[in-house]
Amino acid sequence: KEPKKGYKHTDAVLDIAWNKNAAHVLASGSVDNTILLWDLDESVATTQMSHSKDKVQMLKWHPHESHTLLTGSSDKRVRIYDCRTYDSFMTWKVKGEVEKGIWNASCPFSCFVGTSEGYLYNIDVRNKKPVWEMKSFDKEVTGLYVTEHIPDRLYACSNEEVLKVFENLTDEPKLSSQKQVNIGEVMCLEGNPNHHSMIAMGGTKRCKNLTLLNIETAFIKKETKSDEDI
């Protein structure tokens, strides 16, 4: 039986996600272990999902389906909800707390997830188990980025002060390149919605804690002149 309506969080909110395909809907995840769906037109939470056993810290709406919500919690579970019914969801267990998640821009059925133990996952809603699991960092994953304009490529960062690029995402992923970003421990990564090749990263370094990168050129090795060319 669905609980009565008129909800609120009772602890800190850790993430929010606006639904661009249903502009009046906002999702919020909290330390109180719940997810609320808000009707922005009415300024009220109309739906509560309380299936997590620990704090909810990652939310991502599907880029094309207005009712599909990707969520991650500290109970080491990834859940994907069909929000047309509050208790309709699928669950996958992962290694570590779920820190970051993003939908696969090249496949509407799959998403990528990063955990506190440095693992990356490819999860397909058509499969009960992850497509693949990869130990990619020694520290927690703090950012993920994909774009349909650069297919089969995942950009990921962690507290290790480095940005890594992974390819061959549908089968056996491999690390293709990486770059030191020199902004301290990387805390966040976000793409520019109007310019697919530009990303922003924020870190803990006091004198330089923000960097902008063009991912189409940032990993091109600079040619050095040989003695014969001088």
Side-chain angles (χ1 to χ4, degrees), residues 36-214:
L36 296 183
L37 301 184
W38 298 80
D39 183 333
L40 298 180
D41 291 338
E42 301 295 331
S43 300
V44 64
T46 59
T47 303
Q48 180 189 70
M49 285 94 91
S50 55
H51 308 96
S52 176
K53 304 303 181 183
D54 207 336
K55 57 183 182 290
V56 181
Q57 51 193 24
M58 185 276 289
L59 303 169
K60 286 287 183 182
W61 287 104
H62 194 281
H64 307 298
E65 298 176 0
S66 62
H67 57 273
T68 304
L69 179 64
L70 168 65
T71 75
S73 304
S74 292
D75 62 1
K76 302 180 181 181
R77 299 294 190 278
V78 176
R79 295 179 178 87
I80 296 180
Y81 284 87
D82 180 346
C83 293
R84 291 173 294 189
T85 305
Y86 85 102
D87 59 352
S88 177
F89 62 94
M90 296 180 66
T91 304
W92 295 262
K93 185 177 180 180
V94 296
K95 295 177 180 177
E97 299 180 12
V98 182
E99 298 289 344
K100 298 295 178 181
I102 191 168
W103 287 98
N104 186 350
S106 301
C107 176
F109 303 107
S110 71
C111 60
F112 302 108
V113 171
T115 76
S116 60
E117 301 296 326
Y119 283 89
L120 292 177
Y121 289 85
N122 180 354
I123 291 175
D124 191 309
V125 297
R126 299 167 294 185
N127 300 325
K128 294 182 179 180
K129 295 182 179 180
V131 177
W132 50 255
E133 168 192 292
M134 183 180 187
K135 176 66 172 177
S136 306
F137 298 95
D138 293 327
K139 298 181 179 180
E140 69 180 77
V141 177
T142 56
L144 299 172
Y145 178 65
V146 293
T147 171
E148 61 184 3
H149 300 283
I150 309 177
D152 200 35
R153 195 174 296 176
L154 171 66
Y155 298 84
C157 61
S158 78
N159 289 151
E160 297 172 25
E161 306 180 27
V162 65
L163 175 66
K164 293 184 178 182
V165 186
F166 299 90
E167 296 181 344
N168 196 32
L169 303 179
T170 58
D171 189 10
E172 296 182 3
K174 63 178 181 179
L175 176 66
S176 62
S177 56
Q178 60 183 24
K179 182 180 180 65
Q180 288 293 133
V181 291
N182 300 318
I183 56 172
E185 296 183 358
V186 183
M187 304 304 293
C188 58
L189 163 65
E190 193 64 55
N192 185 330
N194 300 315
H195 198 309
H196 64 268
S197 64
M198 294 300 299
I199 63 172
M201 303 174 69
T204 58
K205 193 174 182 179
R206 288 190 176 183
C207 60
K208 182 185 178 184
N209 53 25
L210 176 67
T211 187
L212 301 178
L213 288 177
N214 184 329

